[in-house]
Amino acid sequence: TGKKKLFHYNVGYSRYFYSNGWDTFTNSINLSLGLRNKKKTLGTKLSTSYLFGTDQSFQIVSSTYANAIISRTKNHVLKFRPQISFLIAQQTIALAQIDPLDTNSVVEYEYNDIFELLNTQVNLPLTLSTKSWDFELGYNINFPSPVESESNLDPTSFFNISIGYLIDLKKNK
């Protein structure tokens, strides 16, 4: 139609069959809504997930990104797409306590359900796309938010690499 879509949405379901004995959240129902400008140089997305298995949780992720084309030819495009994301989620905090009056030193646990900002992530990816291939190299920095009685948490960082190949299923006539 030639119209550029400013709004986009996605609905999905995920099922994890192999969880290495950790089956707390083996299912996920996801909904995301996004908005971007006409030139697709700025955008934001709000994603929600309901996680369930032997336990359940809910999370919200808000992401804002920029999309800068560094180089473009008829055979490739090189992009820099920095992004900042905020993860807000439901989490159960278990606090171990020992009753000072109890001579047996029995540990008792107090459980608190919270719904707070758990992490802020900055993603700095460089992407090279050709007609059939996508290559991405990125650097990520996490800024975890302490909750309840946690002390200050140190930032963490990591590199990511991704290689994708597009298989064209359309038949040429």
Side-chain angles (χ1 to χ4, degrees), residues 43-100:
T44 190
K45 180 171 69 168
L46 184 66
S47 303
T48 60
S49 297
Y50 172 64
L51 310 162
F52 58 101
T54 58
D55 201 355
Q56 59 186 357
S57 185
F58 183 74
Q59 70 180 25
I60 298 172
V61 178
S62 173
S63 302
T64 301
Y65 64 88
N67 194 10
I69 296 175
I70 297 171
S71 170
R72 180 189 296 267
T73 68
K74 72 176 194 170
N75 295 324
H76 81 275
V77 62
L78 181 63
K79 294 180 187 179
F80 178 58
R81 193 175 187 212
Q83 176 174 286
I84 186 166
S85 300
F86 302 95
L87 169 67
I88 301 166
Q90 177 184 0
Q91 184 172 320
T92 300
I93 306 292
L95 300 173
Q97 297 179 339
I98 298 176
D99 186 352

Side-chain angles (χ1 to χ4, degrees), residues 19-64:
S19 59
N20 198 20
W22 192 77
D23 62 351
T24 304
F25 305 126
T26 53
N27 301 276
S28 174
I29 297 173
N30 312 293
L31 170 65
S32 66
L33 302 169
L35 173 66
R36 59 182 171 216
N37 65 354
K38 288 182 182 180
K39 293 184 179 184
K40 298 182 183 180
T41 55
L42 295 173
T44 190
K45 180 171 69 168
L46 184 66
S47 303
T48 60
S49 297
Y50 172 64
L51 310 162
F52 58 101
T54 58
D55 201 355
Q56 59 186 357
S57 185
F58 183 74
Q59 70 180 25
I60 298 172
V61 178
S62 173
S63 302
T64 301

Side-chain angles (χ1 to χ4, degrees), residues 75 129-134 164-168:
N75 295 324
S129 299
T130 66
K131 291 182 181 180
S132 296
W133 290 93
D134 287 332
Y165 182 75
L166 177 65
I167 300 170
D168 190 0

Side-chain angles (χ1 to χ4, degrees), residues 135-149:
F135 303 94
E136 181 179 290
L137 176 63
Y139 183 67
N140 303 272
I141 307 167
N142 288 304
F143 300 97
S145 300
V147 294
E148 292 280 326
S149 64

